[in-house]
Amino acid sequence: MDPEAFLDVANQVIKLKMFPYFDIAHCTLCALSIREDLGSGSHAFSRKHPLACWLSYMLVVFAGGMVCNAMLGEPVLAPLKNNPQILLATLVWYVIFYMPFDVGYKLAKFLPIKIVCAAMKEIYRCKKVYDGVTHAAKIYPNAYLIMIIIGTLKGNGAGFTKLFERLIRGVWTPTAMEFMQPSFYTKASLVASIIFVMDKKTDLISAPHALVYFGIVIFFVYFKLSSILLGIHDPFVPFENLSCALGVQRYEENKLNNITTNHNYSNIFYISTKSKSDVRSTTILVIHLFETVQ
C-alpha cells in the first residue's frame, strides 16, 4: 500500500466515533462474557435475579472508567452520567438475556457476527487505552507510571473488577484476581500504554501518532481474531517462559550452588579444626577439597 494512503487510513481510524456501533459491540461481548461465566444456569439466574444480573453487567461494561476514576480521586459513578450509553447498554443486555427463544444470544454467538464484534471491540479497547493515558497525563504530566497504570486499567477494567462483579451475583471467588494471573488483554493494554507514553512524552518514537495508534489497533485486532479462529490465546507466554528460564531459574540455580558450596566449605573447616594432629584428617581434607573443586 502507498505510504500516504496508509497514513490516510490511519488518520481515519483515529477519528472513528465509538458511539453507537462500537459501544454496541462492546456491550454485546460483555453480555456474552456474563452468560458464559454463569454457564448452564444463566437462563434461570437472569429470570430469578434480574437486578443482580443487570448490575453485574453494567459493572463489566463501565468497569474501566469506574476503576480509573477511583484511582484518580474522581467520582466513581461519573461513567454512568451518559444517558444514551446507559439506555443502549440496557437494550443490549435485554436482547442477549431475554429475547424470545434466545434469539439475541444465538445471533451474538454466530461466528461471523462474533468476529465483527470482536474486531470492533479491540478498536474500542485501543481508544480506551489512549484516552486513559491522555487523561492521566493531564493530571500528572510527568508521572509515566501513573499514565501506564491508568491506560492498562482503562483497557481491561473488567478483568480487575471480576471479583466484585461475581460477588454481586452471589459468587465468591477470591482467586479470581487479575494481578495473580493477568490475561492477554491486560498485558496487551500494558504494552499499548507504554507505547502511547513513549510516543506522547518522549522522542523515542519518530513515527506519526496516527501510525502508532493504527499499529496498536492492528495488534489488538490480529491477536483477538487469532484467539477466536486459531486458538492462540496469549502470545506473550513464550516470552514469559523464556524470561523466567533465563532469569528466575538461573537465580535459583546460583542460589542452590552457593548453598552447596558453603556447606562443603563448612565441612572442610569442621574436619580440619577438630583433628589437626590426626594424620587421617589430612586425607579427609584433601578428599573434600577435591570434591569442592569438582
Side-chain angles (χ1 to χ4, degrees):
M1 182 183 290
D2 183 62
E4 294 184 359
F6 190 79
L7 182 60
D8 184 61
V9 172
N11 286 321
Q12 294 299 321
V13 170
I14 202 172
K15 294 177 182 178
L16 286 174
K17 300 297 182 182
M18 297 295 107
F19 187 84
Y21 302 111
F22 290 90
D23 281 287
I24 291 175
H26 170 64
C27 294
T28 300
L29 293 182
C30 288
L32 287 180
S33 69
I34 296 289
R35 288 205 57 161
E36 291 172 359
D37 195 38
L38 286 169
S40 59
S42 61
H43 186 273
F45 182 88
S46 62
R47 268 68 179 172
K48 188 175 181 180
H49 307 286
L51 179 60
C53 182
W54 181 79
L55 287 175
S56 63
Y57 162 78
M58 296 299 283
L59 178 59
V60 173
V61 172
F62 298 99
M66 289 182 176
V67 174
C68 289
N69 285 2
M71 295 286 288
L72 294 173
E74 298 178 351
V76 177
L77 299 180
L80 302 178
K81 66 182 180 182
N82 192 324
N83 293 327
Q85 282 188 333
I86 297 297
L87 292 175
L88 179 66
T90 303
L91 179 62
V92 173
W93 167 75
Y94 181 85
V95 168
I96 299 297
F97 279 92
Y98 298 102
M99 280 287 287
F101 307 106
D102 228 2
V103 174
Y105 176 71
K106 292 176 181 177
L107 284 176
K109 289 287 289 183
F110 186 50
L111 185 60
I113 296 178
K114 188 175 181 180
I115 289 175
V116 172
C117 289
M120 293 176 69
K121 177 164 181 175
E122 295 312 308
I123 299 174
Y124 187 87
R125 188 191 307 277
C126 185
K127 179 71 164 55
K128 289 294 184 182
V129 173
Y130 178 72
D131 288 345
V133 171
T134 304
H135 184 62
K138 292 179 182 178
I139 302 175
Y140 302 101
N142 299 317
Y144 296 164
L145 180 60
I146 296 178
M147 299 177 202
I148 293 171
I149 291 174
I150 297 302
T152 304
L153 293 175
K154 196 85 168 179
N156 190 32
F160 294 92
T161 59
K162 185 177 294 184
L163 179 67
F164 304 101
E165 175 260 318
R166 288 179 175 174
L167 189 60
I168 291 174
R169 293 187 276 111
V171 180
W172 173 243
T173 55
T175 57
M177 295 293 293
E178 191 69 14
F179 298 104
M180 298 175 64
Q181 293 180 341
S183 64
F184 165 72
Y185 307 110
T186 296
K187 300 173 189 176
S189 299
L190 175 63
V191 172
S193 299
I194 293 173
I195 295 175
F196 280 139
V197 170
M198 293 172 61
D199 177 52
K200 195 176 185 66
K201 292 294 183 179
T202 69
D203 297 327
L204 298 175
I205 299 178
S206 59
H209 169 67
L211 288 181
V212 175
Y213 186 95
F214 189 47
I216 295 176
V217 168
I218 293 174
F219 170 74
F220 279 159
V221 173
Y222 174 78
F223 283 107
K224 179 61 178 182
L225 298 185
S226 297
S227 67
I228 296 175
L229 300 175
L230 304 177
I232 304 174
H233 297 291
D234 194 346
F236 290 105
V237 170
F239 301 100
E240 293 173 0
N241 293 338
L242 180 62
S243 61
C244 289
L246 294 178
V248 179
Q249 186 174 353
R250 181 165 294 181
Y251 170 77
E252 294 294 335
E253 290 176 354
N254 292 336
K255 186 177 179 181
L256 181 61
N257 291 334
N258 291 334
I259 293 173
T260 306
T261 303
N262 293 334
H263 178 69
N264 290 337
Y265 278 120
S266 64
N267 289 340
I268 294 169
F269 180 77
Y270 173 75
I271 294 173
S272 61
T273 54
K274 183 177 182 181
S275 53
K276 289 182 180 180
S277 60
D278 195 344
V279 180
R280 290 178 300 175
S281 65
T282 305
T283 306
I284 297 173
L285 181 61
V286 171
I287 294 173
H288 277 271
L289 282 172
F290 180 74
E291 292 177 352
T292 303
V293 171
Q294 283 184 334

